[in-house]
Amino acid sequence: MANIASSFFKQIDDNVAALGSRIYPKIAPQSSAKPFVVYELDSTEPFDTLDGFASSSIATFTVTIWDESYSDVKTVATAVEAALKDVSGTVDTIVIDFIRHDNTSDEEAWSGDGAEFPLYGIEQTYKVAYQS
């Protein structure tokens, strides 16, 4: 059964060829090939109207893109942003009203245990309005 997180994942997966299927909820496996994306559903909030509860909600997602060079991570981050820009309609059975890019920031370069090179990260946040 589709939910807003699986629909958000599908939109990235179907439209960013550089990632292959390296899109992970919350944590990537330590041996993940680069580049890869980690996404997290931060919150969902129902729309309230003067008449009470509406059938729409807003979800907030954080997407962090990791790669071995800063220029490469910037390229993939641009592709992720393009994949989510101006999306509306049905994605994996969920009706999306809009996806809005809220923020982008650099993550500190990270070198995990045994890593030969640091990983560079870019974090993006998105608001997704959808029919709930």
Side-chain angles (χ1 to χ4, degrees):
M1 178 177 189
N3 59 46
I4 190 58
S6 65
S7 295
F8 188 79
F9 160 84
K10 183 171 177 40
Q11 185 63 28
I12 298 170
D13 190 42
D14 287 354
N15 294 287
V16 184
L19 292 171
S21 292
R22 296 180 306 273
I23 306 167
Y24 306 100
K26 295 190 155 270
I27 298 173
Q30 188 171 358
S31 60
S32 296
K34 284 55 161 192
F36 64 87
V37 164
V38 176
Y39 70 94
E40 185 170 348
L41 174 60
D42 297 320
S43 66
T44 57
E45 182 179 338
F47 283 139
D48 290 325
T49 67
L50 295 175
D51 293 332
F53 176 74
S55 63
S56 296
S57 296
I58 292 202
T60 303
F61 285 91
T62 299
V63 175
T64 309
I65 302 101
W66 295 98
D67 208 340
E68 293 175 337
S69 80
Y70 186 69
S71 63
D72 289 345
V73 80
K74 293 282 286 181
T75 299
V76 176
T78 299
V80 169
E81 186 175 348
L84 297 170
K85 184 178 183 173
D86 298 326
V87 171
S88 63
T90 302
V91 177
D92 199 24
T93 74
I94 300 294
V95 178
I96 294 177
D97 297 322
F98 65 82
I99 297 178
R100 184 181 73 214
H101 177 213
D102 268 359
N103 188 42
T104 296
S105 61
D106 289 349
E107 289 292 297
E108 289 186 35
W110 175 79
S111 183
D113 293 337
E116 292 181 39
F117 304 102
L119 292 180
Y120 296 88
I122 292 181
E123 183 176 278
Q124 300 173 335
T125 56
Y126 293 90
K127 301 277 190 201
V128 181
Y130 67 101
Q131 302 298 310
S132 49

